Amino acid sequence: MNEFKITLSRLLKARFPYIYIPSWEEERFQSIISDISGNQNIIKTPRDVFTWSLTTGFTSADKPAPGPDTKSPAKALEFIEKYTEPAVFILRDFHIYFGGHGRSADNLLIRRLRDLAINLKQNPSPQNVIFISPSVVLPEELQKDITILDFDLPDFKELTELLNEMIEANMKTGRIVIDLKQEEKELLAKAALGLTLKEAENAFARAMVDDGKLDINDVETILEEKRQIIKKSEILEFVKTDLNMNDVGGLENLKKWLAKRNKSWLDRAGKYCLPAPKGMLIVGVPGCGKSLTAKAMSAMWQLPLLRLDIGKIFSGIVGSSEENVRKALKTAEAVAPSILWIDEIEKGFSGVSSSGDSGTSSRVFGTFLTWMQEKTKPVFVIATANNIDLLPAEFMRKGRFDEIFFVDLPTSSERKAIFTVHLKKRLRFKEAVGDFRVTGEILERLIELTEGFSGAEIEQAVISSLFEAYAENRSITMRDFEKAIKFTVPLSVTQGEQIIRIREWANVRAVSATPRDELCVDEERGVDAGSGIDETLSTRGGRKIDV
C-alpha cells in the first residue's frame, strides 16, 4: 500500500470531517477510495461511497442514491446531513462555491459546511467529506476544518503496470509489434512520469498506432504529451531540438561528465546507491557552446528540456512572482525526469542584493535555492552564465550544483572539431562546394587564422564565406574564408580584460570543460603573434583535471 493510501485511510479512521484533494484524476482517486472504503484490513468500518457533481447529483455504485434531486449544492449537503450510515461523500468541483478566480463565495453554503463539520464529528457513524478539484480554493472560514492531502501523479510502478497491461492486451491481437528490452520499458515508463494515468494511456496508445510498433524510439511520442503540459505554462518553454553531442565541437571533459551520468535516474542506478544528479553551472566566454551543450544534452539523455525565463517570473502584482516560481518548479517536477535550463542566469538574479523591488528578487531567489537544495524529483538543472561578477555567491555553495564547468575559448584541436562540424553541415551541395576540398592543410590554415575565436565566431565566419560565394554565384574558395576571418573582430580582442578576469575566477572555482592535454598543448604553442590577440590570454582558466 502506497503512502497516499496509508495517509488517507488514517484521516478517514481519525474522522477528519473535510479532506481536500487537489487533482485532475477523479477516476483514479475514485478507484483508490473504493479500495479503502470496502477493505476491513485497511479501515475497520466499511463505508458507503457517494460521488456528487453539479451535473448528476449524488450517485453510488453500490447504494441507491437520490441522483438528480441532489444536483444543487444545498440539496447535496442536506443529503449528507440526513444520511445515518458510515459513508464517504466525494464532492467534485465544489471549489466553485468557495470564491477565488474572480468568483464570489457562497457565504450561506460556507456557513452550512461549518455547521456540518460539527455534525460529522459527533455522528455515531463515521463519515467524511472529500473535495476533489483541479485547484485549491479555500475560504478563510473553512481553513481550520479542511485538511489538504496531495495526490501525486502516477508513480513509476503504476505506469509500468499500465504499460505492461497495454502490451499484453495488444500482443494478443497480433496487430502491434513489441520490440522492447526490459531497460527500454523502464525508459518508456520513466518518460511518462508527470502525466496523469489517462494521459499516459493515450501516449502509449498513440505510440503503438503511429507505426504499428512499440520500441525505444517511441520515447519521443511520450515526450510530445509532456509538451502539452508545458505549453499551458506561461513561464516554462519546452525546447525541441534536433541537435546532438556530435554537433558540439570540443568540450570533451564536459561531454564525458554528462555521458557518465546518463540514465542515472533509472532503477539500475539505485543498486549503486546513486542519487539523481542535481545539476551543473556552466560559466565562460560568450559564444563558446554553453547553450548548445544544454540543447544537445537533452538529445543525449532523451529527456524533455524546459527553459525557465526568469523575466516572466516577475510581475507587478504583490506576491505573484513568488507564486510564479513555485508554479514553474512544480511543473518541472511534474514532468520529471527532465532538464531545467536557465540561460544567462546572472541576468535574472542580478538584483538579489538590492532592495529596489521591495525584496521580491531575494524572495524568488531564496525559493529557487531552497528548491535546488531539497528537491527529490529527478530534475537536472543546467544554468549558464557569461558575467561571473553578477553571479550571487550563494550559487557557489556545495550542494546547489554537482559541478561548475568553465568553457574557455576553443583550443586548436577544438577549433578543428568546430570547423569540421560546420563545414560538414554547410558544404553539402555541388553549387557551393565546386572543386573546393577540405584537406588537412586547409584545416590547419583555418585553425591558425582563427586563434582567439569563439565557436559562434567560427560558425559565422563559415556563413560569411558562403555569402561571399553566393553573392558572386560561384563555388567557395579559401580566399572567401580568409576574407571573412580577416574582417571579424573576435571577443578575445573586444573583451580581452573580461576574459582574463573570468579565467582568474575559474582557476580556483571551476573545472575546465576542455581536457588537460589539449590545454597543455595550446599553452606550449603560445599565441600566434600575427593574430592580434593579447599575449596574456594564452594562460587558460579552469582546474585542469580529466573528468
Side-chain angles (χ1 to χ4, degrees):
M1 188 163 60
N2 63 30
E3 187 178 341
F4 176 80
K5 269 191 177 182
I6 293 170
T7 305
L8 179 58
S9 63
R10 287 173 179 170
L11 293 178
L12 295 176
K13 287 189 286 186
R15 300 186 65 167
F16 276 55
Y18 298 134
I19 302 167
Y20 200 124
I21 309 291
S23 175
W24 296 90
E25 297 193 273
E26 295 175 343
E27 291 179 20
R28 180 167 158 250
F29 175 74
Q30 191 85 32
S31 173
I32 289 173
I33 199 68
S34 297
D35 288 344
I36 293 174
S37 62
N39 192 333
Q40 287 184 301
N41 294 324
I42 300 175
I43 192 167
K44 291 182 180 178
T45 307
R47 305 178 191 194
D48 302 328
V49 178
F50 293 94
T51 303
W52 178 89
S53 75
L54 187 59
T55 55
T56 63
F58 269 118
T59 58
S60 174
D62 305 311
K63 293 281 180 178
D69 293 337
T70 53
K71 281 185 179 181
S72 77
K75 287 287 186 181
L77 296 186
E78 187 179 321
F79 174 77
I80 295 172
E81 288 169 355
K82 293 179 178 179
Y83 198 79
T84 57
E85 300 297 320
V88 175
F89 304 96
I90 301 170
L91 305 181
R92 296 182 176 183
D93 293 337
F94 213 79
H95 70 289
I96 62 175
Y97 304 109
F98 293 162
H101 304 296
R103 290 186 292 260
S104 298
D106 189 327
N107 296 317
L108 180 60
L109 208 61
I110 291 170
R111 181 66 253 180
R112 288 194 66 176
L113 282 167
R114 294 188 72 188
D115 295 337
L116 179 59
I118 297 170
N119 295 337
L120 290 171
K121 290 177 182 177
Q122 296 176 350
N123 196 319
S125 297
Q127 294 181 345
N128 313 82
V129 173
I130 299 177
F131 303 100
I132 181 165
S133 306
S135 59
V136 176
V137 179
L138 280 184
E140 188 175 351
E141 297 89 340
L142 288 173
Q143 287 183 6
K144 299 300 181 183
D145 294 310
I146 293 179
T147 298
I148 298 174
L149 180 60
D150 288 328
F151 183 40
D152 288 337
L153 291 163
D155 58 20
F156 173 66
K157 183 181 177 182
E158 289 176 280
L159 292 169
T160 303
E161 288 173 358
L162 172 66
L163 179 60
N164 286 333
E165 287 171 9
M166 293 183 69
I167 287 174
E168 187 177 342
N170 283 281
M171 283 183 71
K172 289 177 181 177
T173 66
R175 287 178 291 186
I176 304 294
V177 177
I178 308 297
D179 183 18
L180 286 172
K181 299 174 184 174
Q182 186 56 40
E183 188 176 281
E184 292 172 341
K185 276 187 186 179
E186 264 192 58
L187 281 171
L188 277 179
K190 289 277 186 181
L193 285 169
L195 300 176
T196 65
L197 208 61
K198 187 61 69 177
E199 287 171 333
E201 185 180 354
N202 290 340
F204 293 146
R206 179 182 164 190
M208 289 177 179
V209 301
D210 273 352
D211 55 2
K213 183 178 181 182
L214 186 67
D215 58 19
I216 190 58
N217 296 321
D218 288 312
V219 167
E220 182 59 31
T221 304
I222 313 300
L223 295 183
E224 182 59 41
E225 287 297 317
K226 286 191 173 183
R227 289 189 188 102
Q228 295 301 317
I229 299 173
I230 304 305
K231 283 175 183 176
K232 297 163 190 171
S233 166
E234 297 178 354
I235 302 167
L236 291 175
E237 175 193 354
F238 199 114
V239 179
K240 189 174 181 180
T241 175
D242 55 358
L243 295 170
N244 58 59
M245 277 300 172
N246 293 327
D247 296 316
V248 181
L251 310 184
E252 295 302 324
N253 257 1
L254 178 53
K255 289 180 183 178
K256 195 184 298 182
W257 189 90
L258 290 172
K260 286 180 180 178
R261 283 151 184 82
N262 190 12
K263 299 181 182 178
S264 56
W265 54 91
L266 296 179
D267 287 351
R268 189 168 63 88
K271 295 175 182 177
Y272 290 79
C273 297
L274 287 172
K278 287 177 176 287
M280 65 177 179
L281 173 64
I282 309 178
V283 299
V285 182
C288 288
K290 299 187 294 298
S291 299
L292 186 67
T293 301
K295 294 175 182 177
M297 175 188 169
S298 174
M300 174 193 271
W301 283 14
Q302 289 188 304
L303 292 181
L305 178 63
L306 317 177
R307 177 158 47 200
L308 174 62
D309 188 341
I310 300 292
K312 289 183 180 178
I313 286 176
F314 297 98
S315 61
I317 303 172
V318 175
S320 61
S321 300
E322 294 88 331
E323 179 60 29
N324 284 342
V325 73
R326 284 192 290 269
K327 190 185 296 183
L329 298 177
K330 190 173 181 180
T331 303
E333 287 188 334
V335 298
S338 58
I339 302 167
L340 184 64
W341 173 30
I342 311 172
D343 200 19
E344 298 187 0
I345 194 169
E346 76 278 18
K347 292 181 180 178
F349 290 128
S350 60
V352 295
S353 58
S354 67
S355 57
D357 59 358
S358 302
T360 300
S361 295
S362 296
R363 290 194 298 273
V364 169
F365 180 63
T367 299
F368 182 72
L369 282 188
T370 302
W371 173 79
M372 282 190 65
Q373 187 71 30
E374 299 179 358
K375 66 183 170 75
T376 55
K377 298 286 181 71
V379 179
F380 185 89
V381 179
I382 177 167
T384 63
N386 294 325
N387 192 342
I388 46 91
D389 293 335
L390 297 177
L391 277 175
E394 295 90 331
F395 262 133
M396 307 306 150
R397 213 196 87 181
K398 281 294 182 184
R400 309 288 192 209
F401 295 100
D402 296 316
E403 195 58 85
I404 301 174
F405 280 98
F406 172 68
V407 177
D408 206 341
L409 293 169
T411 62
S412 54
S413 61
E414 286 177 328
R415 293 199 300 281
K416 181 177 182 179
I418 294 167
F419 265 117
T420 301
V421 167
H422 291 298
L423 290 173
K424 185 178 180 181
K425 180 180 178 182
R426 304 282 177 185
L427 302 183
R428 292 186 295 155
F429 300 104
K430 181 68 175 176
E431 289 82 358
V433 178
D435 296 328
F436 183 79
R437 295 291 178 271
V438 181
T439 63
E441 185 180 342
I442 283 176
L443 269 179
E444 285 299 320
R445 178 59 181 157
L446 291 173
I447 293 165
E448 181 185 344
L449 291 172
T450 53
E451 182 76 56
F453 276 48
S454 68
E457 288 163 347
I458 289 173
E459 181 184 13
Q460 286 306 310
V462 172
I463 293 171
S464 296
S465 305
L466 284 165
F467 268 118
E468 288 290 332
Y470 173 75
E472 297 179 12
N473 196 25
R474 58 173 173 77
S475 58
I476 199 166
T477 66
M478 185 61 189
R479 186 185 177 103
D480 296 320
F481 288 105
E482 291 171 343
K483 184 177 179 181
I485 293 168
K486 180 181 178 181
F487 286 103
T488 300
V489 182
L491 280 174
S492 56
V493 173
T494 59
Q495 297 184 19
E497 292 178 359
Q498 183 179 335
I499 293 173
I500 293 169
R501 189 168 64 252
I502 294 174
R503 285 177 173 175
E504 289 172 350
W505 177 91
N507 272 330
V508 292
R509 294 177 178 87
V511 172
S512 173
T514 303
R516 176 182 53 199
D517 53 349
E518 292 183 23
L519 293 172
C520 292
V521 167
D522 254 34
E523 287 178 6
E524 286 173 7
R525 286 177 63 245
V527 178
D528 182 359
S531 67
I533 310 300
D534 192 310
E535 197 169 352
T536 56
L537 290 182
S538 63
T539 304
R540 294 181 175 274
R543 296 200 304 279
K544 298 176 179 64
I545 66 168
D546 288 321
V547 177

